[in-house]
Amino acid sequence: MIKSYSKYFLLFGMLILLFSFNLTSNPPAKKEQETKSGEKIYTSMQDVADKRIGALLGSTHDQFISENYPNAYILRVDNGPDLALALRTGQCDAIIMDENTAKLYLAEDPQLGVLERNIFREDYGFGFNNVKLRNEFNIYLNELITSGELQSIINKWTDDDGSITIPDYNNTGESGIFKIGVTGTDVPFAYMNGTKYAGIDVEILLGFAASKNLKPEISIMPFGSLLAAATSKKVDVIGSAITITEERKKQLAFSDSYYGSDAIALALKKNLPKQSSGLNLQNIDDLKDKRIGVLLGSSQDMFATESFKDAKLYRMDHSVELVALLQQGQCDAILLDNIEANYLMAEHPDFAYLNSDVKKDYYVIGFRKANTNERDEFNVFLKELKDSGVYDEMYNRWIYNGDTAEMPVIENSGTNGLLRIGTTFESVPFSFIKNGEYAGFDIELMLRYAAYINKKAEFIHYNFSGMLSAIITGKVDVIANAIMETEERAENISFSNSYIDITSGIIVLKKNLASFQNDEKESKNWFAKVKDSFYNNIIKEKRYLLLWEGLKVTFIISILSAILGTLLGALICWMRMSKNKIIKTIALVYIDILRGIPQVVLLMLMFYVVFASWNIGGVAVAVITFAMNFAAYVSEMFRTSIQSIKKGQTEAGIAMGFSRVKTFFNIIMPQAIQRVIPVYKGEFIGLVKMTSIVGYIAVQDLTKASDIIRSRTFDAFFPLIVISIIYFLLAWLLTLLIDMIQIKVAPKRNK
């Protein structure tokens, strides 16, 4: 029966590969083809005058469409997210909303574009059912305007990255209740940030309540219900970017306007003229309110934070992740050093510089904070290297000719011990893997330094943040990986003098440049793209060896963790079922703690804290950590399986002359194993997949191998697709193995 299913599993795996690669193969070209084959192109609201237009129910946008486009079908919804969803899913051809809210949706969804701006002007106000209260509010509002506090509130929430919160007002509530009605979905005016209320309107109303010692009670309701709630006195005031109109003034006492905005129409980019989908970028000033990707914690991150205060920053751990963001339209520009950027653009001809010289910087080597002597010794070595001319040879070899460069032979007696070097092997041309060997400027620099001090060089893999943690906790002696010095990093790490001066540039998609002209070159067919990706990511430089080595590490960690975790789980199960309260409590606490801590957090705690002073490798720590976590879950599986067997069988075994131990092993345990295997199988497969996080503690597993390959090819997707297939096949084979064990332990039945 197992064999009969194997061909379906293999077929399913191939379908995943084909489907996944098809999704990542040049989606813009597909959209353009569809447009050429008959999709409608809209240039203004007049082109959708007889189409489907979406608006919030009961809003001024709804009224505007009714009055100006009588032949249109109006799709009325209760909130902004549903409105944007209706457009994305083709339920309408265009939507109208206020411009500031539209900016947020445009920033989050690359499918959306602007159909028409400045349709009409809106003035927002708060609707009260009590004139006296309205007048008191107008006094408060005028104080906010005069002091500049209102503009500060508006600026704060329009730039919210999810970290902004409402001030904690000192409100006694002695003067009564202040009932507030809002939608809870109208960003940036009145919405929910997690479980807390947020937005411009909410902060203004809560501030007013505090000034009058009124206890605020906020009610969330659809936009179309706000007016009815206020007129029926279910609430005292409503606020959710409500436009002041003459008709509404007849029902409610509106405050003075606190905000003005233009109505804007959005449509899908594929239905807009081609030039409308580009950003028409001319210089870095055009990025002031765009989305920019930077490396987390780098000096480029700080530069972007200071220079683009209105932009939305995406902070990533690695340049490959920045490439993926830019490729998929999830950010508009990325900031990288020009050396790495030149390699990147060679692999991605659709990338271009917006500006190649926006920031001067330099790279340094990091030492432990206490090891200033080693740092000073390196600085002497670096000066001698430059004076001797060897540095210039290295620079020419790796910076100018990194694609063809080979590592030189460096003699090293290693008589003075070991030099542990932390790096990522993911930064071309500084630290990477070529033909299965370590390569790059930083690698050669560290090998020459190790020879200079007669220490044997040992390179240890980390992700970038893990590398920084490793030098701080003493896991390594030195770190080298195109590292920029920042004030925050310098507090915990001792940095060398600069060994390379660099400039950083801003990279964008060519199509978003104002100077872009499409030459309409014929693109490769799908099969050719798969073939090229397979060669570049798997065959070239024997990169399949990285996957093979990573697979072996993943397999070893998985099997050893499962075996050790099963044995430990059996022990915890025994303790959990013990009649001794102390032993039982220890088991309960163990299970609760291990199941409550996220696995990646536990793994890093074990490596960087618990075993920080122990000379234990990352693989051993990973096995111990996963086994401990696995045991917590397995123990509960064992316990429930054992308790599901009727007590009468134990009593029968004892009555037949067996001891309790023999009764358990001969009667209870075989049945318990048979019952636990289906659940155990699922937990075991989950363990295999969970091992993908071991890259955080300097272990080169299957996932880490794909990261290294992506850092060389700058292909953000194909290596991930390949390892997803490998993980699937590994899980499938291990499932078959457990199924075979289950068949063998199953009780034989008489035919």
Side-chain angles (χ1 to χ4, degrees), residues 12 18 111 128 131 229 240 248 268 291 300 366 398 424 453 463 469 537 556 558 563 568-569 584 660 709:
F12 180 61
L18 294 173
Q111 299 179 67
F128 291 80
V131 175
S240 271
R248 290 175 179 173
L268 293 176
R291 302 164 299 169
Q300 298 156 340
W398 296 110
T424 69
I453 58 177
N463 62 14
S469 299
N537 290 280
I556 290 170
S558 301
I563 294 172
L568 181 59
K584 187 174 183 178
R660 284 191 173 274
I709 292 173

Side-chain angles (χ1 to χ4, degrees), residues 4-282:
S4 66
Y5 284 110
S6 62
K7 60 182 179 181
Y8 297 111
F9 279 108
L10 290 173
L11 178 61
F12 180 61
M14 291 303 296
L15 286 173
I16 291 177
L17 176 60
L18 294 173
F19 179 69
S20 300
F21 191 80
N22 191 44
L23 287 177
T24 60
S25 296
N26 200 12
K30 182 180 178 184
K31 290 184 178 181
E32 185 178 339
Q33 244 180 3
E34 291 172 350
T35 301
K36 288 179 179 178
S37 65
E39 279 194 354
K40 300 292 183 182
I41 299 296
Y42 307 135
T43 59
S44 69
M45 283 294 294
Q46 290 301 321
D47 293 331
V48 294
D50 58 349
K51 302 289 191 300
R52 301 164 299 169
I53 307 175
L56 290 178
L57 175 65
S59 66
T60 51
H61 306 139
D62 182 353
Q63 182 180 352
F64 173 82
I65 299 169
S66 300
E67 293 175 355
N68 293 274
Y69 303 105
N71 295 325
Y73 170 77
I74 306 176
L75 178 66
R76 298 177 172 92
V77 298
D78 286 327
N79 57 70
D82 285 347
L83 192 60
L85 180 62
L87 180 58
R88 284 197 300 266
T89 56
Q91 297 178 48
C92 59
D93 302 289
I95 60 175
I96 298 181
M97 57 174 54
D98 78 87
E99 186 170 21
N100 286 285
T101 302
K103 283 181 182 178
L104 299 172
Y105 287 104
L106 289 169
E108 294 294 332
D109 194 338
Q111 299 179 67
L112 307 183
V114 177
L115 173 60
E116 187 173 328
R117 296 183 185 274
N118 305 321
I119 298 175
F120 64 89
R121 183 71 177 175
E122 302 176 280
D123 289 315
Y124 297 155
F126 295 96
F128 291 80
N129 56 31
N130 184 298
V131 175
K132 180 182 177 182
L133 196 59
R134 188 273 315 270
N135 294 339
E136 291 177 351
F137 176 82
N138 280 342
I139 295 172
Y140 173 78
L141 182 61
N142 186 59
E143 291 174 355
L144 291 183
I145 296 172
T146 304
S147 66
E149 181 64 21
L150 176 63
Q151 192 58 49
S152 298
I153 293 173
I154 292 171
N155 293 340
K156 177 173 69 174
W157 290 106
T158 51
D159 293 335
D160 180 29
D161 60 357
S163 63
I164 306 298
T165 57
I166 299 286
D168 186 13
Y169 292 106
N170 184 18
N171 187 348
T172 61
E174 295 175 354
S175 300
I177 304 297
F178 184 51
K179 299 178 181 178
I180 303 169
V182 294
T183 64
T185 58
D186 201 349
V187 182
F189 298 97
Y191 59 101
M192 299 297 296
N193 184 355
T195 59
K196 296 183 178 180
Y197 299 109
I200 298 168
D201 291 17
V202 176
E203 181 167 345
I204 292 173
L205 290 174
L206 291 181
F208 172 68
S211 72
K212 297 297 179 183
N213 280 327
L214 295 169
K215 182 180 179 181
E217 288 186 358
I218 299 178
S219 299
I220 301 296
M221 59 190 70
F223 188 89
S225 301
L226 287 176
L227 289 171
T231 54
S232 62
K233 298 189 178 182
K234 295 290 185 182
V235 294
D236 300 309
V237 62
I238 55 174
S240 271
I242 300 174
T243 304
I244 303 171
T245 66
E246 293 301 322
E247 183 178 351
R248 290 175 179 173
K249 283 182 178 180
K250 296 175 182 178
Q251 303 177 62
L252 291 175
F254 270 91
S255 71
D256 296 336
S257 175
Y258 67 96
Y259 194 91
S261 179
D262 292 316
I264 188 173
L266 305 183
L268 293 176
K269 282 185 178 178
K270 67 180 182 180
N271 295 129
L272 296 172
K274 188 171 183 179
Q275 61 271 21
S276 298
S277 62
L279 297 176
N280 294 317
L281 301 173
Q282 296 181 346

Side-chain angles (χ1 to χ4, degrees), residues 15 155 330 363 395 407 445 479 505 510 518 652 665 706 738:
L15 286 173
N155 293 340
Q330 296 177 32
Y363 287 150
Y395 195 95
M407 284 291 298
L445 183 66
I479 53 175
K510 282 183 179 179
N518 192 358
F665 282 104
S706 78
I738 296 176

Side-chain angles (χ1 to χ4, degrees), residues 120 208 611 690 694:
F120 64 89
F208 172 68
F611 292 107
M690 185 60 71
V694 296

Side-chain angles (χ1 to χ4, degrees), residues 222-345:
F223 188 89
S225 301
L226 287 176
L227 289 171
T231 54
S232 62
K233 298 189 178 182
K234 295 290 185 182
V235 294
D236 300 309
V237 62
I238 55 174
S240 271
I242 300 174
T243 304
I244 303 171
T245 66
E246 293 301 322
E247 183 178 351
R248 290 175 179 173
K249 283 182 178 180
K250 296 175 182 178
Q251 303 177 62
L252 291 175
F254 270 91
S255 71
D256 296 336
S257 175
Y258 67 96
Y259 194 91
S261 179
D262 292 316
I264 188 173
L266 305 183
L268 293 176
K269 282 185 178 178
K270 67 180 182 180
N271 295 129
L272 296 172
K274 188 171 183 179
Q275 61 271 21
S276 298
S277 62
L279 297 176
N280 294 317
L281 301 173
Q282 296 181 346
N283 53 55
I284 62 173
D285 291 336
D286 295 331
L287 295 174
K288 62 182 180 180
D289 58 350
K290 299 297 189 296
R291 302 164 299 169
I292 303 174
V294 293
L295 294 173
L296 176 65
S298 65
S299 62
Q300 298 156 340
D301 182 354
M302 291 185 288
F303 170 79
T305 302
E306 295 172 0
S307 303
F308 303 101
K309 294 183 179 179
D310 294 329
K312 182 171 184 179
L313 298 184
Y314 290 88
R315 298 175 172 90
M316 312 303 290
D317 281 329
H318 195 272
S319 57
V320 175
E321 296 167 341
L322 296 180
V323 171
L325 285 177
L326 187 59
Q327 273 186 311
Q328 295 301 297
Q330 296 177 32
C331 71
D332 304 307
I334 58 176
L335 186 59
L336 281 176
D337 74 84
N338 291 347
I339 296 174
E340 186 171 6
N342 290 335
Y343 279 87
L344 186 157
M345 288 191 288

